[in-house]
Amino acid sequence: MGIDLGLIDFATLSDDSEPIPAPKFYRKGQRKLRAAQKTVSRRKKGSNRKQKAQNKLARVHLKIGRQRRDFLHKLTTGLVHAFDGLCIEDLPISGLVRTKLAKSFSDAAMGEFRRQLTYKCQWNRKHLVPIDRFFSFVEDVQSVRCAQP
């Protein structure tokens, strides 16, 4: 089963099933983050109210991280149990995070997705094959068709 990762559709599977939309937890929680950060910045340094505001800000960050982790665990577990072999794009995540789409790539957590797929495939004795990002699947299929008598 081939998995194509993206920002609009988080994962598109090669079995012509519906693509899995990107949940965008950070983007959805930005309003709460902005309000909590504004509250922290307006509090007097060293006060109890500033400490409480910082704790609230930390809880908002924690919730966003836990939502993302929960989504990734459920998705990777489902993929590993459903298929015996998985092929995934070998994307340069560190390079993509340095572009103007950095916030979106960080929100998608593609590196964490690959890490989880890797260890879950090892645990369940399934195959995970990283495919080069420049690999053209369409050209190879056409060459095989031409070679067949």
Side-chain angles (χ1 to χ4, degrees), residues 3 13 20 74-83 86 113 117:
I3 303 171
L13 305 179
I20 300 157
K74 287 177 180 174
L75 178 61
T76 53
T77 302
L79 288 172
V80 168
H81 288 305
F83 304 105
L86 297 168
F113 176 74
L117 262 185

Side-chain angles (χ1 to χ4, degrees), residues 1 11-20 79 83:
M1 173 60 50
T12 305
L13 305 179
S14 63
D15 67 349
D16 294 331
S17 62
E18 286 292 316
I20 300 157
L79 288 172
F83 304 105

